[in-house]
Amino acid sequence: MAYKKVFLKPGKEDSLRRFHPWVFSGALARVEGEPEEGEVVDVYTSKKEFIACGHYQIGSIAVRVLSFKQETIDADFWKRRLQVAKDLRVALGLIGNPKNNTYRLVHGEGDNLPGLIIDVYDHTAVMQAHSAGMHMDRLAIADALDAVMGDVVQHIYYKSETTLPYKADLVAIENGFLKGGSPENVAMENGLLFHVDWLKGQKTGFFVDQRENRALLERYAHGRSVLNMFCYTGGFSFYAMRGGAKLVHSVDSSAKAIDLTNENVKLNFPGDDRHQAYAEDAFKYLDRMGDQYDLIILDPPAFAKHRDALRNALRGYTKLNAKAFEKIRPGGILFTFSCSQVVSKQDFRNAVFTAAAQSGRSVRILHQLTQPGDHPVNIYHPEGEYLKGLVLYVE
Ligand code: SAH
Protein backbone atom coordinates (compact mmCIF):
# COMPACT_ATOMS: atom_id res chain seq x y z
CA MET A 1 0.00 0.00 0.00
CA ALA A 2 1.29 3.44 -0.85
CA TYR A 3 1.30 5.83 2.06
CA LYS A 4 1.76 9.56 1.99
CA LYS A 5 5.40 10.55 1.79
CA VAL A 6 7.72 12.66 3.85
CA PHE A 7 11.17 13.65 2.57
CA LEU A 8 14.28 14.15 4.66
CA LYS A 9 16.76 16.95 4.34
CA PRO A 10 20.10 15.91 2.78
CA GLY A 11 22.25 13.91 5.21
CA LYS A 12 19.41 13.39 7.68
CA GLU A 13 19.06 9.69 6.82
CA ASP A 14 22.18 8.66 8.77
CA SER A 15 20.44 7.78 12.02
CA LEU A 16 17.80 5.80 10.14
CA ARG A 17 20.52 3.86 8.35
CA ARG A 18 21.66 2.88 11.84
CA PHE A 19 18.07 1.81 12.58
CA HIS A 20 17.32 4.52 15.12
CA PRO A 21 13.50 4.54 15.25
CA TRP A 22 12.76 8.28 15.37
CA VAL A 23 12.66 11.05 12.77
CA PHE A 24 12.84 14.49 14.34
CA SER A 25 10.73 17.25 12.82
CA GLY A 26 13.88 19.28 12.10
CA ALA A 27 15.08 16.52 9.75
CA LEU A 28 12.08 16.87 7.44
CA ALA A 29 12.39 18.83 4.21
CA ARG A 30 8.88 18.24 2.98
CA VAL A 31 5.62 16.50 3.92
CA GLU A 32 3.39 15.49 1.03
CA GLY A 33 -0.39 15.32 1.09
CA GLU A 34 -1.01 16.61 4.63
CA PRO A 35 -1.09 13.34 6.60
CA GLU A 36 -3.27 13.30 9.70
CA GLU A 37 -1.64 12.82 13.08
CA GLY A 38 -1.24 9.12 13.64
CA GLU A 39 -1.35 8.18 9.96
CA VAL A 40 1.31 5.87 8.57
CA VAL A 41 3.75 7.64 6.23
CA ASP A 42 6.66 6.47 4.10
CA VAL A 43 9.94 8.23 4.76
CA TYR A 44 12.19 9.05 1.77
CA THR A 45 15.72 10.39 1.66
CA SER A 46 16.57 13.60 -0.17
CA LYS A 47 17.62 11.32 -3.05
CA LYS A 48 14.05 9.96 -3.12
CA GLU A 49 14.93 6.51 -1.84
CA PHE A 50 12.55 4.76 0.56
CA ILE A 51 14.13 4.35 4.00
CA ALA A 52 11.38 3.63 6.58
CA CYS A 53 7.69 3.83 7.33
CA GLY A 54 6.07 4.85 10.58
CA HIS A 55 3.47 6.82 12.49
CA TYR A 56 3.40 10.51 11.71
CA GLN A 57 2.84 13.07 14.47
CA ILE A 58 3.15 16.81 14.87
CA GLY A 59 5.79 17.42 17.51
CA SER A 60 9.49 17.09 18.01
CA ILE A 61 9.43 13.43 16.94
CA ALA A 62 7.70 13.60 13.57
CA VAL A 63 7.83 9.90 12.67
CA ARG A 64 8.11 6.85 14.91
CA VAL A 65 9.40 4.06 12.73
CA LEU A 66 7.40 0.86 12.46
CA SER A 67 9.46 -0.76 9.74
CA PHE A 68 12.59 -0.21 7.70
CA LYS A 69 11.01 -2.25 4.90
CA GLN A 70 8.31 -0.97 2.60
CA GLU A 71 5.33 -2.86 3.90
CA THR A 72 1.67 -2.48 4.76
CA ILE A 73 0.81 -1.86 8.37
CA ASP A 74 -2.17 -4.17 8.59
CA ALA A 75 -3.58 -6.91 10.81
CA ASP A 76 -0.79 -9.27 9.78
CA PHE A 77 1.89 -6.73 10.64
CA TRP A 78 0.56 -6.30 14.20
CA LYS A 79 0.26 -10.05 14.63
CA ARG A 80 3.84 -10.64 13.50
CA ARG A 81 5.21 -8.00 15.82
CA LEU A 82 3.19 -9.18 18.82
CA GLN A 83 4.19 -12.78 18.12
CA VAL A 84 7.88 -11.77 18.30
CA ALA A 85 7.19 -9.94 21.57
CA LYS A 86 5.40 -12.99 22.97
CA ASP A 87 8.16 -15.39 21.88
CA LEU A 88 10.69 -13.26 23.75
CA ARG A 89 8.63 -13.40 26.98
CA VAL A 90 8.29 -17.16 26.56
CA ALA A 91 12.09 -17.35 26.22
CA LEU A 92 12.37 -15.31 29.42
CA GLY A 93 10.19 -17.86 31.23
CA LEU A 94 7.49 -15.30 31.89
CA ILE A 95 4.54 -16.84 30.08
CA GLY A 96 3.01 -20.03 31.46
CA ASN A 97 4.87 -19.63 34.73
CA PRO A 98 2.71 -20.76 37.66
CA LYS A 99 4.54 -18.40 40.05
CA ASN A 100 4.42 -15.30 37.91
CA ASN A 101 1.68 -13.90 35.69
CA THR A 102 2.86 -10.28 35.57
CA TYR A 103 5.15 -9.03 32.83
CA ARG A 104 5.58 -6.40 30.15
CA LEU A 105 4.60 -7.83 26.78
CA VAL A 106 5.42 -4.77 24.69
CA HIS A 107 8.02 -2.20 25.65
CA GLY A 108 7.82 0.47 22.94
CA GLU A 109 11.04 0.90 20.99
CA GLY A 110 12.49 -2.14 22.80
CA ASP A 111 9.98 -4.27 20.89
CA ASN A 112 10.17 -2.26 17.68
CA LEU A 113 6.78 -0.75 18.47
CA PRO A 114 7.54 2.86 19.41
CA GLY A 115 4.73 4.47 21.36
CA LEU A 116 3.12 1.24 22.59
CA ILE A 117 3.23 -0.31 26.06
CA ILE A 118 1.37 -3.48 27.02
CA ASP A 119 1.60 -4.97 30.51
CA VAL A 120 -0.06 -8.27 31.36
CA TYR A 121 -1.57 -8.98 34.77
CA ASP A 122 -2.85 -12.52 34.89
CA HIS A 123 -5.59 -12.56 32.22
CA THR A 124 -5.79 -8.80 31.72
CA ALA A 125 -3.60 -6.82 29.36
CA VAL A 126 -3.28 -3.10 30.02
CA MET A 127 -2.44 -1.24 26.85
CA GLN A 128 -1.04 2.26 26.79
CA ALA A 129 -0.49 4.47 23.74
CA HIS A 130 2.17 7.15 23.92
CA SER A 131 1.77 8.28 20.31
CA ALA A 132 -1.14 9.37 18.15
CA GLY A 133 -0.46 6.50 15.77
CA MET A 134 -0.74 3.77 18.37
CA HIS A 135 -3.97 5.40 19.55
CA MET A 136 -5.41 5.37 16.03
CA ASP A 137 -4.41 1.71 15.60
CA ARG A 138 -5.57 0.56 19.03
CA LEU A 139 -8.40 -1.63 17.78
CA ALA A 140 -6.23 -3.40 15.22
CA ILE A 141 -3.61 -3.95 17.92
CA ALA A 142 -6.23 -5.29 20.34
CA ASP A 143 -7.42 -7.77 17.68
CA ALA A 144 -3.86 -8.92 17.07
CA LEU A 145 -3.25 -9.24 20.81
CA ASP A 146 -6.34 -11.39 21.08
CA ALA A 147 -5.21 -13.62 18.23
CA VAL A 148 -1.61 -13.99 19.42
CA MET A 149 -2.20 -14.43 23.16
CA GLY A 150 -5.22 -16.77 22.93
CA ASP A 151 -6.61 -17.67 26.36
CA VAL A 152 -3.80 -15.96 28.24
CA VAL A 153 -5.32 -12.54 27.60
CA GLN A 154 -9.08 -12.45 28.14
CA HIS A 155 -9.49 -8.74 28.91
CA ILE A 156 -7.85 -5.75 27.31
CA TYR A 157 -7.95 -2.45 29.17
CA TYR A 158 -6.94 0.66 27.25
CA LYS A 159 -5.38 3.33 29.47
CA SER A 160 -4.10 6.30 27.53
CA GLU A 161 -5.95 9.31 28.91
CA THR A 162 -2.80 10.69 30.48
CA THR A 163 -0.12 9.39 28.12
CA LEU A 164 -1.18 10.91 24.81
CA PRO A 165 0.05 14.28 23.64
CA TYR A 166 -2.61 16.81 24.57
CA LYS A 167 -1.89 18.86 21.48
CA ALA A 168 -2.75 16.10 19.07
CA ASP A 169 -6.24 16.51 17.77
CA LEU A 170 -7.46 13.10 18.85
CA VAL A 171 -11.02 12.14 19.43
CA ALA A 172 -12.29 9.63 21.93
CA ILE A 173 -9.36 9.10 24.26
CA GLU A 174 -11.16 7.32 27.00
CA ASN A 175 -9.89 4.66 29.33
CA GLY A 176 -11.90 1.49 29.15
CA PHE A 177 -12.04 -2.16 28.16
CA LEU A 178 -11.55 -2.91 24.47
CA LYS A 179 -12.22 -6.56 25.16
CA GLY A 180 -13.81 -8.47 28.03
CA GLY A 181 -14.04 -6.56 31.30
CA SER A 182 -13.18 -8.18 34.55
CA PRO A 183 -13.33 -6.80 38.07
CA GLU A 184 -10.69 -9.40 39.00
CA ASN A 185 -7.55 -7.47 39.84
CA VAL A 186 -5.17 -9.67 41.76
CA ALA A 187 -1.98 -10.66 39.97
CA MET A 188 1.14 -12.58 41.00
CA GLU A 189 4.81 -11.73 40.84
CA ASN A 190 7.33 -14.38 41.88
CA GLY A 191 4.66 -16.07 44.00
CA LEU A 192 3.55 -12.88 45.77
CA LEU A 193 0.09 -11.41 45.25
CA PHE A 194 -0.90 -7.82 44.67
CA HIS A 195 -3.94 -5.80 43.65
CA VAL A 196 -3.56 -3.87 40.43
CA ASP A 197 -5.42 -0.62 40.17
CA TRP A 198 -5.42 -0.30 36.42
CA LEU A 199 -8.37 2.05 36.53
CA LYS A 200 -6.67 4.78 38.53
CA GLY A 201 -3.17 3.60 39.39
CA GLN A 202 0.06 5.06 38.03
CA LYS A 203 1.52 3.72 34.80
CA THR A 204 -0.42 0.57 33.97
CA GLY A 205 -1.15 -0.04 37.67
CA PHE A 206 2.04 -1.61 38.96
CA PHE A 207 5.75 -1.09 38.46
CA VAL A 208 6.55 -4.26 36.59
CA ASP A 209 10.13 -3.17 35.93
CA GLN A 210 11.36 -3.82 39.48
CA ARG A 211 10.54 -7.55 39.53
CA GLU A 212 14.12 -8.85 39.48
CA ASN A 213 15.43 -6.11 41.75
CA ARG A 214 12.75 -6.96 44.30
CA ALA A 215 13.80 -10.61 44.14
CA LEU A 216 17.39 -9.55 44.84
CA LEU A 217 16.25 -7.45 47.79
CA GLU A 218 14.50 -10.46 49.27
CA ARG A 219 17.88 -12.20 49.54
CA TYR A 220 19.26 -9.39 51.68
CA ALA A 221 16.25 -8.91 53.94
CA HIS A 222 16.77 -11.57 56.57
CA GLY A 223 16.82 -10.12 60.07
CA ARG A 224 17.02 -6.55 58.82
CA SER A 225 15.02 -3.42 59.62
CA VAL A 226 13.79 -2.21 56.27
CA LEU A 227 12.70 1.20 55.04
CA ASN A 228 10.92 1.11 51.67
CA MET A 229 10.88 4.75 50.62
CA PHE A 230 8.58 5.68 47.68
CA CYS A 231 6.79 2.37 48.16
CA TYR A 232 3.80 2.97 45.80
CA THR A 233 1.96 -0.40 45.92
CA GLY A 234 4.49 -1.88 48.32
CA GLY A 235 6.35 -4.20 45.94
CA PHE A 236 9.68 -4.14 47.76
CA SER A 237 7.93 -4.37 51.15
CA PHE A 238 6.25 -7.71 50.70
CA TYR A 239 9.42 -9.22 49.23
CA ALA A 240 11.35 -7.97 52.28
CA MET A 241 8.77 -9.62 54.52
CA ARG A 242 9.03 -12.93 52.71
CA GLY A 243 12.80 -12.63 52.99
CA GLY A 244 12.50 -12.61 56.77
CA ALA A 245 12.91 -8.93 57.60
CA LYS A 246 12.59 -8.00 61.27
CA LEU A 247 10.42 -5.01 60.46
CA VAL A 248 9.36 -3.19 57.30
CA HIS A 249 8.32 0.45 57.11
CA SER A 250 6.80 1.69 53.86
CA VAL A 251 6.61 5.40 53.06
CA ASP A 252 4.94 7.28 50.21
CA SER A 253 3.53 10.80 50.01
CA SER A 254 0.34 9.46 48.46
CA ALA A 255 -2.29 8.24 50.92
CA LYS A 256 -3.78 6.10 48.15
CA ALA A 257 -0.41 4.37 47.69
CA ILE A 258 -0.24 3.67 51.41
CA ASP A 259 -3.71 2.09 51.32
CA LEU A 260 -2.62 -0.10 48.38
CA THR A 261 0.55 -1.11 50.21
CA ASN A 262 -1.37 -2.05 53.35
CA GLU A 263 -3.85 -4.08 51.29
CA ASN A 264 -1.08 -5.91 49.46
CA VAL A 265 0.82 -6.71 52.63
CA LYS A 266 -2.41 -8.05 54.15
CA LEU A 267 -3.06 -10.15 51.04
CA ASN A 268 0.29 -11.93 51.43
CA PHE A 269 0.86 -11.80 55.18
CA PRO A 270 -2.48 -11.49 56.97
CA GLY A 271 -2.09 -10.62 60.64
CA ASP A 272 1.67 -10.04 60.36
CA ASP A 273 2.56 -7.06 62.51
CA ARG A 274 6.10 -6.50 61.19
CA HIS A 275 4.79 -3.94 58.70
CA GLN A 276 3.85 -0.27 59.14
CA ALA A 277 3.08 2.26 56.42
CA TYR A 278 3.25 6.06 56.55
CA ALA A 279 1.84 8.66 54.17
CA GLU A 280 4.53 11.29 54.36
CA ASP A 281 6.96 13.27 52.25
CA ALA A 282 10.25 11.44 51.76
CA PHE A 283 12.52 14.28 52.79
CA LYS A 284 10.50 14.99 55.94
CA TYR A 285 10.50 11.34 56.92
CA LEU A 286 14.24 10.93 56.29
CA ASP A 287 14.90 14.01 58.42
CA ARG A 288 12.83 12.89 61.36
CA MET A 289 13.59 9.17 61.38
CA GLY A 290 16.20 7.65 63.64
CA ASP A 291 19.01 5.28 62.80
CA GLN A 292 17.04 2.05 63.13
CA TYR A 293 17.26 0.93 59.47
CA ASP A 294 19.90 -1.33 58.01
CA LEU A 295 18.22 -1.92 54.65
CA ILE A 296 16.89 1.09 52.78
CA ILE A 297 15.22 1.27 49.37
CA LEU A 298 15.04 4.59 47.55
CA ASP A 299 12.96 4.32 44.38
CA PRO A 300 11.79 7.87 43.67
CA PRO A 301 9.71 9.02 40.70
CA ALA A 302 11.65 10.42 37.73
CA PHE A 303 13.21 13.63 39.03
CA ALA A 304 13.89 14.77 35.45
CA LYS A 305 11.43 14.21 32.65
CA HIS A 306 13.31 16.49 30.23
CA ARG A 307 16.94 17.36 29.50
CA ASP A 308 16.62 20.90 30.86
CA ALA A 309 15.67 19.57 34.28
CA LEU A 310 18.79 17.40 34.51
CA ARG A 311 20.91 19.54 36.83
CA ASN A 312 18.18 19.92 39.40
CA ALA A 313 17.38 16.26 39.16
CA LEU A 314 20.96 15.28 39.90
CA ARG A 315 20.99 17.58 42.90
CA GLY A 316 17.76 15.91 44.05
CA TYR A 317 19.31 12.43 43.80
CA THR A 318 22.36 13.61 45.73
CA LYS A 319 20.29 15.18 48.48
CA LEU A 320 18.07 12.14 48.83
CA ASN A 321 20.91 9.63 48.95
CA ALA A 322 22.92 11.80 51.34
CA LYS A 323 20.12 11.49 53.88
CA ALA A 324 20.17 7.71 53.59
CA PHE A 325 23.98 7.55 53.98
CA GLU A 326 23.71 9.79 57.03
CA LYS A 327 21.21 7.56 58.81
CA ILE A 328 21.73 3.96 57.65
CA ARG A 329 23.22 1.65 60.28
CA PRO A 330 26.81 0.44 59.95
CA GLY A 331 26.77 -2.66 57.78
CA GLY A 332 23.61 -1.40 56.14
CA ILE A 333 22.54 -2.02 52.57
CA LEU A 334 21.11 0.65 50.32
CA PHE A 335 19.10 -0.10 47.18
CA THR A 336 18.98 3.18 45.30
CA PHE A 337 17.35 3.83 41.91
CA SER A 338 16.71 6.37 39.21
CA CYS A 339 14.09 5.83 36.52
CA SER A 340 14.70 9.12 34.67
CA GLN A 341 15.56 8.37 31.08
CA VAL A 342 17.57 11.58 30.71
CA VAL A 343 19.81 10.71 33.69
CA SER A 344 22.60 8.45 32.41
CA LYS A 345 24.10 5.59 34.39
CA GLN A 346 27.23 7.67 34.93
CA ASP A 347 25.27 10.78 35.97
CA PHE A 348 23.38 8.76 38.52
CA ARG A 349 26.50 7.10 39.84
CA ASN A 350 28.16 10.51 40.21
CA ALA A 351 25.16 11.85 42.13
CA VAL A 352 25.30 8.90 44.53
CA PHE A 353 29.09 9.18 44.76
CA THR A 354 28.75 12.83 45.79
CA ALA A 355 26.22 11.89 48.45
CA ALA A 356 28.47 9.13 49.79
CA ALA A 357 31.45 11.50 49.93
CA GLN A 358 29.40 14.05 51.87
CA SER A 359 28.65 11.42 54.50
CA GLY A 360 32.31 10.38 54.66
CA ARG A 361 31.31 6.73 55.00
CA SER A 362 33.02 3.80 53.37
CA VAL A 363 30.72 2.58 50.58
CA ARG A 364 31.03 -0.37 48.23
CA ILE A 365 29.01 -1.20 45.13
CA LEU A 366 27.63 -4.74 45.37
CA HIS A 367 25.34 -4.78 42.35
CA GLN A 368 24.55 -2.53 39.41
CA LEU A 369 20.93 -2.95 38.47
CA THR A 370 18.79 -2.17 35.49
CA GLN A 371 15.44 -3.09 33.97
CA PRO A 372 14.56 -6.75 33.35
CA GLY A 373 14.47 -8.56 29.99
CA ASP A 374 10.79 -7.90 29.42
CA HIS A 375 11.77 -4.20 29.20
CA PRO A 376 14.37 -4.84 26.49
CA VAL A 377 16.68 -2.16 25.17
CA ASN A 378 16.76 -1.93 21.40
CA ILE A 379 20.49 -1.76 20.64
CA TYR A 380 19.79 0.96 18.07
CA HIS A 381 17.87 3.02 20.64
CA PRO A 382 20.13 3.20 23.69
CA GLU A 383 17.86 5.88 25.20
CA GLY A 384 15.55 2.99 26.06
CA GLU A 385 17.77 2.02 28.99
CA TYR A 386 16.06 4.08 31.68
CA LEU A 387 16.19 2.19 34.98
CA LYS A 388 19.42 2.39 36.95
CA GLY A 389 20.07 1.02 40.38
CA LEU A 390 22.96 0.52 42.77
CA VAL A 391 23.11 -1.82 45.71
CA LEU A 392 25.58 -0.41 48.20
CA TYR A 393 27.18 -1.72 51.34
CA VAL A 394 27.65 1.07 53.85
CA GLU A 395 30.24 0.40 56.50
N1 SAH B 1 8.99 1.55 44.42
C1 SAH B 1 7.70 1.51 43.80
C2 SAH B 1 7.55 2.51 42.69
C3 SAH B 1 7.79 3.94 43.10
S1 SAH B 1 7.01 5.11 42.09
C4 SAH B 1 7.43 0.09 43.30
O1 SAH B 1 8.28 -0.80 43.45
O2 SAH B 1 6.34 -0.15 42.80
C5 SAH B 1 7.30 6.58 42.94
C6 SAH B 1 6.40 6.82 44.13
O3 SAH B 1 6.93 7.97 44.80
C7 SAH B 1 4.96 7.14 43.85
O4 SAH B 1 4.14 6.22 44.50
C8 SAH B 1 4.73 8.55 44.42
O5 SAH B 1 3.48 8.71 45.08
C9 SAH B 1 5.85 8.67 45.42
N2 SAH B 1 6.33 10.04 45.71
C10 SAH B 1 6.49 11.06 44.85
N3 SAH B 1 7.02 12.13 45.48
C11 SAH B 1 7.20 11.77 46.79
C12 SAH B 1 7.74 12.43 47.95
N4 SAH B 1 8.18 13.68 47.88
N5 SAH B 1 7.79 11.74 49.09
C13 SAH B 1 7.34 10.46 49.17
N6 SAH B 1 6.83 9.80 48.11
C14 SAH B 1 6.76 10.44 46.94
Side-chain angles (χ1 to χ4, degrees):
M1 181 173 159
Y3 293 112
K4 289 175 188 162
K5 295 178 183 170
V6 304
F7 292 88
L8 299 173
K9 292 177 184 162
K12 290 294 183 190
E13 64 278 7
D14 291 358
S15 71
L16 290 170
R17 294 227 188 276
R18 290 191 302 268
F19 306 111
H20 192 280
W22 298 343
V23 178
F24 289 100
S25 56
L28 292 186
R30 196 155 58 83
V31 176
E32 249 180 37
E34 297 187 15
E36 303 268 325
E37 290 214 71
E39 216 176 301
V40 175
V41 292
D42 282 338
V43 183
Y44 282 76
T45 66
S46 58
K47 297 203 179 95
K48 307 208 166 29
E49 293 160 350
F50 172 90
I51 189 162
C53 65
H55 282 140
Y56 177 76
Q57 190 163 321
I58 294 164
S60 100
I61 303 175
V63 181
R64 288 170 172 82
V65 173
L66 293 167
S67 179
F68 291 96
K69 285 195 300 217
Q70 197 152 21
E71 61 179 314
T72 306
I73 307 305
D74 56 8
D76 263 6
F77 170 85
W78 297 115
K79 270 194 231 163
R80 284 195 309 273
R81 280 290 157 90
L82 292 181
Q83 186 64 48
V84 173
K86 180 187 175 191
D87 291 347
L88 171 57
R89 277 65 187 178
V90 170
L92 291 165
L94 290 169
I95 298 184
N97 177 341
K99 291 253 176 242
N100 192 89
N101 57 33
T102 303
Y103 51 90
R104 179 154 289 189
L105 180 66
V106 174
H107 184 59
E109 286 80 358
D111 284 290
N112 289 324
L113 290 168
L116 182 67
I117 297 291
I118 302 176
D119 285 340
V120 176
Y121 300 103
D122 196 10
H123 293 303
T124 301
V126 182
M127 185 169 137
Q128 209 162 55
H130 290 254
S131 68
M134 290 300 181
H135 174 68
M136 304 297 266
D137 285 335
R138 66 197 179 282
L139 299 177
I141 298 168
D143 284 345
L145 187 59
D146 193 18
V148 167
M149 295 301 283
D151 280 353
V152 176
V153 168
Q154 294 163 15
H155 317 280
I156 302 175
Y157 188 75
Y158 185 62
K159 185 171 193 265
S160 302
E161 274 175 16
T162 57
T163 55
L164 281 162
Y166 66 95
K167 275 180 284 189
D169 187 15
L170 301 173
V171 282
I173 308 178
E174 251 176 48
N175 291 346
F177 281 97
L178 299 178
K179 187 193 165 202
S182 163
E184 181 55 53
N185 71 346
V186 174
M188 189 190 280
E189 187 184 83
N190 289 324
L192 290 161
L193 298 173
F194 59 90
H195 294 276
V196 200
D197 186 8
W198 46 71
L199 302 181
K200 291 192 226 76
Q202 301 177 46
K203 293 229 209 165
T204 63
F206 190 73
F207 284 77
V208 185
D209 54 0
Q210 290 285 23
R211 180 181 59 249
E212 291 180 359
N213 301 331
R214 292 182 186 124
L216 180 67
L217 175 101
E218 180 176 353
R219 287 168 32 199
Y220 282 104
H222 191 79
R224 292 194 181 258
S225 299
V226 180
L227 170 62
N228 180 10
M229 182 52 80
F230 307 98
C231 64
Y232 186 39
T233 52
F236 284 102
S237 303
F238 40 85
Y239 277 75
M241 293 179 74
R242 189 170 65 179
K246 193 158 72 187
L247 65 87
V248 179
H249 291 167
S250 306
V251 181
D252 198 288
S253 56
S254 148
K256 178 98 212 309
I258 293 303
D259 289 346
L260 288 168
T261 297
N262 279 326
E263 261 183 60
N264 286 334
V265 167
K266 224 192 293 164
L267 195 61
N268 292 287
F269 302 98
D272 192 325
D273 61 4
R274 288 176 298 158
H275 180 258
Q276 295 286 333
Y278 306 96
E280 197 170 332
D281 173 74
F283 288 93
K284 285 201 184 121
Y285 188 89
L286 290 164
D287 276 339
R288 80 168 169 85
M289 74 185 198
D291 63 354
Q292 70 267 46
Y293 302 113
D294 54 5
L295 179 50
I296 298 181
I297 301 118
L298 298 176
D299 183 24
F303 282 171
K305 294 227 159 89
H306 302 285
R307 277 247 135 242
D308 38 9
L310 182 60
R311 260 161 157 280
N312 277 337
L314 293 178
R315 253 182 250 130
Y317 288 116
T318 298
K319 202 171 138 204
L320 182 68
N321 283 278
K323 290 200 188 294
F325 285 127
E326 205 182 292
K327 300 268 176 88
I328 196 167
R329 279 228 183 125
I333 291 174
L334 175 62
F335 277 64
T336 183
F337 296 95
S338 164
C339 61
S340 304
Q341 187 156 321
V342 297
V343 172
S344 71
K345 211 189 293 184
Q346 196 54 46
D347 283 339
F348 178 60
R349 193 151 150 180
N350 285 343
V352 177
F353 159 87
T354 306
Q358 280 169 13
S359 73
R361 300 194 53 183
S362 173
V363 176
R364 294 174 182 80
I365 299 175
L366 306 183
H367 303 271
Q368 303 185 47
L369 307 178
T370 183
Q371 64 223 52
D374 55 338
H375 296 59
V377 182
N378 178 346
I379 203 161
Y380 305 115
H381 179 257
E383 302 94 311
E385 185 177 350
Y386 68 99
L387 185 63
K388 299 150 292 279
L390 292 169
V391 181
L392 304 167
Y393 183 81
V394 188
E395 221 177 288

